[in-house]
Amino acid sequence: MGEIDPAFIQTPEHRPKLSITEAEGIPVIDLSPLSCNSSSITDPSFEDLVRKIGSACRDWGFFQVINHGAPVESRHKMEAEARKFFHQSKEEKSEVRRDSVHVIGYFDSELTKNVRNWKEVVDYTVEEPTLVPASVDPHDQQLTHWYNKWPQHPPELRVALKEYGEHMEELALKLMELIALSLGLPPKRFHGFFKDQTSWIRLNFYPPCPSPHLVLGRGCHRDSGALTVLAQDHVNGLDIKKKSDGEWVRVKPAPNAYIINVGDVIQSVEQRVMLNSEKERLSYPFFLTPAHYTMVLPLEELLNDQNPAKYRPYNLSQGNVENIQIYDFKIN
């Protein structure tokens, strides 16, 4: 990206500190009870798993999962193909650049709070085509379809991403079942919201930055959607703001783990991405997102006079509203 353009420079209050504490206490949850044939919702190990998921969502909004069952080979294949793509020339990458007609594809001009992020991105939808509103105007009833723009090079990227997306969808829905159980709900209570899902995968490429004290790979934000399943390479950079004291801490991933965070349709946590002056970084979030017509509001079975709704109902077809809590699962 060359010299630092002023468009990338964060305002003083948002500039990162190069020395930051690694988070202690972020739950690392073993999902192996899910694969045990003897496991049931009354098995002690399974009950403990459900309890840990509920506590992690309530106390952190972030957690890591190990022994998750997603094939590591699929992840490595997808990462290798993604790295090949980003190492191509600007002209080659721009062959799948998104535009006013194709809103899915490659771009390198992402903004967070009107400040440019130091990154390149490729987006892909899991369902192809994906049914979405034609505009964010709530009075516009027209619908349209999103189609992916698949690059010719590297030729294996399309296959790798499709396979990876299937594994991430399966893992994300398993986690939603555990969240439902932690709330005292039937395990598949949330599955209907993803019948016409708008879930998607983002490939993030963060080149080395000569001024990581002035610039962020991604500014402070919250994830929309229901659940994010994040993989990343060996270069750390994800910071989260702790619920307990508001301090920024660095997430250190466990080997072959996935970092999970709840999105705004549950109750998300602020996060940002730091940069490295010498090393590039890759990350691959899968965003589990409901159908576009989903009305986001508290489930009736979770509400009573002592536990009223905290946030207003919200229709996803109206578009994303950043940093607004729009759902209350009331995880207890």
Side-chain angles (χ1 to χ4, degrees), residues 62-77:
F62 268 82
F63 56 96
Q64 297 188 62
V65 293
I66 59 174
N67 297 323
H68 41 68
V72 68
E73 297 82 7
S74 175
R75 173 172 167 176
H76 289 168
K77 179 180 179 182

Side-chain angles (χ1 to χ4, degrees), residues 276-290:
N276 192 294
S277 62
E278 299 178 354
K279 299 177 182 179
E280 66 185 37
R281 178 174 179 266
L282 287 165
S283 71
Y284 324 97
F286 167 89
F287 301 98
L288 181 69
T289 312

Side-chain angles (χ1 to χ4, degrees), residues 26 57 69 103 105 111 125 131 135 177 220 254 261 272 286 319 323:
I26 291 182
C57 291
V103 299
L111 301 176
T125 59
L131 184 67
S135 75
E177 290 181 7
C220 180
N261 69 276
R272 67 185 183 188
F286 167 89
N323 293 338

Side-chain angles (χ1 to χ4, degrees), residues 19-38:
S19 60
I20 189 167
T21 303
E22 283 191 349
E24 294 183 359
I26 291 182
V28 177
I29 300 177
D30 187 342
L31 297 185
S32 58
L34 290 177
S35 61
C36 295
N37 294 330
S38 60

Side-chain angles (χ1 to χ4, degrees), residues 46-266:
F46 191 86
E47 289 180 339
D48 185 57
L49 171 60
V50 171
R51 180 189 59 78
K52 288 178 179 178
I53 290 287
S55 297
C57 291
R58 181 188 64 240
D59 298 337
W60 283 91
F62 268 82
F63 56 96
Q64 297 188 62
V65 293
I66 59 174
N67 297 323
H68 41 68
V72 68
E73 297 82 7
S74 175
R75 173 172 167 176
H76 289 168
K77 179 180 179 182
M78 185 273 303
E79 179 176 322
E81 297 304 314
R83 201 176 295 274
K84 290 177 187 177
F85 175 84
F86 286 115
H87 285 174
Q88 295 181 111
S89 68
K90 183 76 72 175
E91 292 73 23
E92 290 172 306
K93 289 180 285 192
S94 293
E95 291 179 0
V96 291
R97 181 178 290 276
R98 73 180 194 179
D99 53 38
S100 58
V101 177
H102 300 93
V103 299
I104 301 296
Y106 168 82
F107 65 108
D108 59 358
S109 54
E110 181 188 62
L111 301 176
T112 301
K113 296 180 174 64
N114 298 317
V115 179
R116 191 170 171 185
N117 297 316
W118 189 272
K119 66 188 295 191
E120 298 176 35
V121 161
V122 182
D123 289 337
Y124 293 98
T125 59
V126 174
E127 295 288 338
E128 190 175 22
T130 296
L131 184 67
V132 292
S135 75
V136 296
D137 182 350
H139 302 293
D140 186 353
Q141 300 300 310
Q142 289 188 314
L143 299 176
T144 188
H145 290 92
W146 285 350
Y147 291 86
N148 291 317
K149 298 182 74 174
W150 297 106
Q152 293 186 356
H153 302 284
E156 296 298 319
L157 180 60
R158 178 174 185 168
V159 174
L161 271 171
K162 282 181 171 290
E163 178 183 294
Y164 184 74
E166 292 173 359
H167 295 308
M168 292 302 96
E169 179 183 355
E170 181 180 359
L171 175 58
L173 290 175
K174 284 181 181 178
L175 292 168
M176 291 302 295
E177 290 181 7
L178 293 171
I179 291 173
L181 288 169
S182 76
L183 296 167
L185 300 171
K188 297 186 183 298
R189 179 62 177 87
F190 300 124
H191 280 216
F193 296 111
F194 304 100
K195 178 177 179 292
D196 296 316
Q197 63 177 319
T198 54
S199 303
W200 52 293
I201 296 173
R202 168 162 287 182
L203 307 180
N204 290 310
F205 176 69
Y206 303 96
C209 178
S211 301
H213 60 294
L214 299 176
V215 179
L216 286 169
R218 176 75 195 272
C220 180
H221 68 285
R222 302 178 191 268
D223 286 347
S224 60
L227 203 70
T228 302
V229 182
L230 173 69
Q232 64 178 52
D233 65 12
H234 63 283
V235 180
N236 295 339
L238 176 64
D239 293 348
I240 66 170
K241 183 177 283 189
K242 292 170 62 179
K243 283 186 174 184
S244 58
D245 56 17
E247 291 294 316
W248 285 104
V249 291
R250 178 70 42 80
V251 179
K252 183 179 181 180
N256 294 323
Y258 285 98
I259 300 170
I260 313 297
N261 69 276
V262 296
D264 260 351
V265 298
I266 300 180

